[in-house]
Amino acid sequence: IRAGILRRGQQIANGFNEVEQMSDETQQAALDCSDVELFFEAERRKFSPASPSRLSCLYLAERTESGEQMLRHMLGRNIYTLRVRLTLPLRIARVDSAWFDDFFISRNPENARKYWLGQQMDEGGHWEYLYDGIIKVEDEAQIEHIRKHGARL
């Protein structure tokens, strides 16, 4: 979304309707991320069209320490994760996020193919689950935490 706003020559506002000041480097990073996501989407349509799109899916991880670490690497240290149950899975794909991360450095298009085919990059893998469907938060206290400290539900 940020890249689309920037490409239109518009400014990004924060939650207080103040214009967000972005350096040229930060703007370029947003555009680069967008380009990578669009490339991976095009490759998904070629190699794994039945898989959920990264552009519109929920990102899930295993309930393990490595799953938590992968989410923090992807989204930042200060995230709040929810324990969920899949109640109506429509589409799900298990992919190794290491292929995606490496693509930013290597720009090797083969990474996208291996990502969408669910191949493991290295020992252990960095598994993320791309999910389309309905989920249910298992712990009502987590919903209350979000209501009190986060987004409105």
Side-chain angles (χ1 to χ4, degrees):
I1 293 173
R2 296 167 69 89
I5 293 169
L6 293 171
R7 284 189 173 104
R8 287 189 206 104
Q10 298 174 330
Q11 295 179 320
I12 298 172
N14 64 20
F16 301 103
N17 209 23
E18 300 167 338
V19 173
E20 185 177 325
Q21 301 300 316
M22 297 177 72
S23 68
D24 290 343
E25 183 178 285
T26 301
Q27 289 182 32
Q28 190 57 53
L31 294 170
D32 288 346
C33 287
S34 172
D35 291 342
V36 168
E37 288 290 0
L38 292 173
F39 175 75
F40 267 71
E41 177 62 13
E43 297 300 286
R44 178 191 68 81
R45 293 175 185 189
K46 283 194 263 184
F47 297 115
S48 190
S51 292
S53 169
R54 287 180 53 86
L55 303 176
S56 61
C57 71
L58 295 172
Y59 288 80
L60 306 176
E62 296 171 350
R63 290 183 188 180
T64 62
E65 183 62 34
S66 64
E68 288 272 338
Q69 288 175 348
M70 190 268 305
L71 287 174
R72 292 189 193 294
H73 172 74
M74 184 179 8
L75 302 171
R77 294 177 52 94
N78 297 322
I79 61 168
Y80 186 72
T81 59
L82 301 172
R83 292 194 178 271
V84 299
R85 184 175 66 243
L86 312 182
T87 59
L88 182 62
L90 301 175
R91 299 187 298 171
I92 191 166
R94 179 180 184 244
V95 293
D96 189 341
S97 64
W99 293 114
F100 184 82
D101 294 343
D102 184 70
F103 183 83
F104 279 91
I105 299 164
S106 70
R107 300 296 176 170
N108 181 353
E110 189 68 11
N111 285 19
R113 185 183 71 77
K114 291 177 179 179
Y115 175 88
W116 286 114
L117 294 178
Q119 294 180 7
Q120 186 173 333
M121 179 182 255
D122 53 29
E123 191 174 315
H126 300 91
W127 301 113
E128 63 185 5
Y129 296 81
L130 311 178
Y131 179 76
D132 279 343
I134 298 173
I135 60 171
K136 178 168 178 48
V137 176
E138 292 184 338
D139 185 350
E140 186 63 31
Q142 290 186 314
I143 295 291
E144 290 306 316
H145 176 84
I146 291 171
R147 284 189 176 119
K148 184 176 180 182
H149 303 288
R152 294 220 176 261
L153 297 177

